[in-house]
Amino acid sequence: MKPFLVMIGIVSVTLYGDYLIKVASMRPSGLTSGVFLGGAAMYTLSAIGILIAMQHMSLASVGVFYSVLTILMMTGLGVLVFGESLTSRELLGIGFALAALACMGRFA
């Protein structure tokens, strides 16, 4: 099992949960909607995936890869699906996130 591929899968599940929660947030009864509950369920699944990843990677590696991949994929979701724009400050933050990933220098 490739740890990096596992992390991409975990972040993809989290991203779907984020999408559902964003959709729920745009509804007047967002917190009580089925969409919100679906998003929460996706978070639960991602926690199980993180447990599996931690069996193969150090906690530091899991934390950095999960965080950076989540940042990148959520940014793409916001820009491409929800029409959000990025400021230069946010782009700089993404650059620093990528630098953190490079500093870790390992995938397992």
Side-chain angles (χ1 to χ4, degrees):
M1 180 179 326
K2 302 276 185 202
F4 188 70
L5 295 177
V6 170
M7 292 305 297
I8 289 174
I10 294 166
V11 173
S12 297
V13 170
T14 302
L15 186 70
Y16 183 58
D18 291 332
Y19 168 79
L20 292 174
I21 289 174
K22 176 68 173 178
V23 169
S25 76
M26 295 185 293
R27 297 180 177 181
S29 62
L31 199 56
T32 59
S33 70
V35 178
F36 173 76
L37 295 176
M42 293 299 105
Y43 282 177
T44 301
L45 289 176
S46 68
I48 294 167
I50 288 174
L51 175 108
I52 294 167
M54 286 181 181
Q55 294 173 341
H56 303 283
M57 299 172 71
S58 71
L59 183 59
S61 293
V62 169
V64 170
F65 290 115
Y66 179 80
S67 298
V68 171
L69 291 172
T70 300
I71 288 167
L72 295 174
M73 292 177 81
M74 284 182 72
T75 300
L77 180 67
V79 170
L80 299 174
V81 176
F82 294 106
E84 299 172 352
S85 59
L86 296 174
T87 65
S88 57
R89 187 172 169 177
E90 291 166 331
L91 290 171
L92 182 63
I94 290 169
F96 284 133
L98 291 171
L101 188 61
C103 286
M104 287 303 293
R106 58 187 170 129
F107 292 98

